[in-house]
Amino acid sequence: MVVDRIFSGIQPTGTPHLGNYLGAIQNWVNLQEKCSSVLYSIMDMHSLTMPKEPAVLRQNILDTTAAILACGIDPKKCFLFRQSQVPEHAELAWILGCLTNVPRLLRLPQWKMKRASQNSEGTVGLLTYPVLQAADILLYKSTRVPVGEDQVLHLELAQDIAQHFNKKYGEFFPVPKAILSTTKKIKSLRDPSVKMSKSDPQKLATVNIADSPDEVVLKFRKAVTDFTSEVTYDPITRPGVSNLVSIHAAVTGLSIKEVLHQATGLNTAHYKMVVAESVIQKFTPIRNEIKKLQEDKSHLVKVLEDGAEKAKEVAAPIYQEIRRLVGFQ
């Protein structure tokens, strides 16, 4: 019997930014209310593809956990755990890697982009992390995966690997389906041609959900728009203003049409402050809760450890059957 199961993960980059929340975490909160089997993972193994100091990684894991909890993720309604605390993820990745062609991985755009950003030839981990992503999903026989536009190709790889495994060893994995985010992709406030990112070297480009009201106001005041004062929505010809409209709609729950109606008669300078105020109202309670949770490190550690134990209970029998199928036992 196939169990309807949702799996998703987030890299521990510290406190998430606006795009993380609107594109993923907000959806996670909704999904935990609609599905009886939901797993959310802090992807600490994936984070090693971009070099980090161990102390920074440890703190980022705790900060990301605090933020996710503050946003409304409830460990009673889902399993929240660290990827590295369930060793079957890495073990299954090796098995699946032996079914995956190198040329397929070389064609993935993330390999090309991230290798370029590191100014290097790239590591084995950077090349093969999409296989680990497939293992993350398939280890739990997940049926649905919330993904953003930039991860669709990686999910397609997981689907193909599942089908390849089933063809070789018999029907075993359900082929996971995508749950696509309905939120418009949030772009950088300084360069609306690229998505908002924690790694952006321009500090004013990214709004973190724990930013102070003064920081939020400054970043929106400096947001790149254009020389037309009217507020309209046209992502092709007016990407900067359209990004502000998308953010305004997403944080208020209103449609694009509704926020444009509210902005009638406002110039872009005034509208920036309207959007900033909406963001502040949305995230002030979350920011306060993050601070409170960060003060209780032992609670955060326990949440992740308890979640890992529950995840192992799901993963262990599935992985034992995989071992039998491939001939390990």
Side-chain angles (χ1 to χ4, degrees):
M1 186 180 72
V2 176
V3 176
D4 183 28
R5 179 167 292 141
I6 290 171
F7 178 92
S8 195
I10 187 170
Q11 286 206 31
T13 55
T15 305
H17 61 68
L18 193 58
N20 296 143
Y21 177 84
L22 298 174
I25 299 170
Q26 183 172 241
N27 195 29
W28 285 14
V29 175
N30 294 331
L31 289 171
Q32 72 180 357
E33 305 293 339
K34 299 175 181 177
C35 183
S36 60
S37 183
V38 181
L39 297 99
Y40 296 138
S41 183
I42 308 292
M43 301 300 212
D44 51 353
M45 293 170 68
H46 286 293
S47 71
L48 294 182
T49 60
M50 304 294 278
K52 287 180 184 65
E53 290 297 322
V56 172
L57 177 57
R58 290 187 199 100
Q59 189 59 50
N60 281 354
I61 290 168
L62 294 176
D63 288 345
T64 301
T65 304
I68 288 172
L69 294 173
C71 288
I73 293 299
D74 185 350
K76 295 185 178 69
K77 297 177 180 177
C78 65
F79 299 168
L80 177 62
F81 66 100
R82 272 174 54 196
Q83 179 190 29
S84 65
Q85 291 183 318
V86 183
E88 289 89 344
H89 284 255
E91 293 179 35
L92 179 56
W94 176 257
I95 294 172
L96 300 184
C98 293
L99 301 175
T100 307
N101 293 324
V102 171
R104 176 73 183 275
L105 300 177
L106 289 170
R107 288 196 298 269
L108 292 171
Q110 276 85 348
W111 159 250
K112 298 171 185 175
M113 291 185 330
K114 291 193 176 182
R115 186 180 61 166
S117 72
Q118 292 183 19
N119 295 316
S120 70
E121 294 181 354
T123 63
V124 172
L126 189 60
L127 177 64
T128 61
Y129 89 89
V131 179
L132 179 55
Q133 282 185 322
D136 299 330
I137 295 163
L138 298 178
L139 178 60
Y140 302 97
K141 287 191 168 183
S142 309
T143 56
R144 294 188 288 156
V145 184
V147 290
E149 293 173 20
D150 56 346
Q151 289 295 322
V152 168
L153 289 177
H154 286 190
L155 181 60
E156 288 177 355
L157 175 68
Q159 292 168 336
D160 291 347
I161 290 174
Q163 290 170 331
H164 190 173
F165 186 98
N166 291 346
K167 186 176 180 180
K168 185 175 178 68
Y169 297 109
E171 288 297 320
F172 184 73
F173 291 122
V175 178
K177 292 181 171 60
I179 303 174
L180 290 171
S181 173
T182 56
T183 302
K184 305 288 184 185
K185 188 182 288 186
I186 304 303
K187 303 297 183 68
S188 160
L189 294 186
R190 299 298 298 160
D191 179 5
S193 68
V194 299
K195 72 175 186 177
M196 190 173 284
S197 171
K198 289 280 282 192
S199 59
D200 197 312
Q202 298 191 68
K203 292 185 178 180
L204 297 178
T206 302
V207 177
N208 296 309
I209 65 173
D211 280 350
S212 70
D214 287 346
E215 289 172 319
V216 172
V217 167
L218 175 62
K219 289 176 180 181
F220 277 100
R221 182 180 291 128
K222 298 289 186 179
V224 170
T225 51
D226 53 38
F227 297 107
T228 303
S229 63
E230 185 184 5
V231 178
T232 61
Y233 184 77
D234 186 342
I236 302 300
T237 62
R238 304 192 70 198
V241 173
S242 298
N243 189 41
L244 296 179
V245 173
S246 293
I247 292 170
H248 191 192
V251 298
T252 58
L254 299 173
S255 67
I256 298 291
K257 187 176 179 179
E258 287 170 326
V259 296
L260 286 175
H261 180 71
Q262 288 187 2
T264 302
L266 299 181
N267 60 35
T268 51
H270 189 180
Y271 184 62
K272 287 178 182 181
M273 295 303 96
V274 171
V275 180
E277 185 56 35
S278 295
V279 169
I280 291 166
Q281 286 185 6
K282 175 74 174 179
F283 291 107
T284 293
I286 292 173
R287 182 166 60 92
N288 293 339
E289 184 64 16
I290 289 172
K291 286 182 179 179
K292 181 177 160 188
L293 287 164
Q294 285 174 329
E295 292 173 359
D296 193 349
K297 177 181 173 181
S298 61
H299 170 68
L300 299 174
V301 170
K302 187 172 189 313
V303 166
L304 294 176
E305 288 178 346
D306 290 349
E309 288 305 312
K310 293 173 184 175
K312 287 176 187 176
E313 289 175 10
V314 176
I318 294 172
Y319 186 64
Q320 285 306 308
E321 182 61 13
I322 293 169
R323 286 176 56 85
R324 187 191 69 77
L325 287 170
V326 303
F328 286 169
Q329 64 184 41

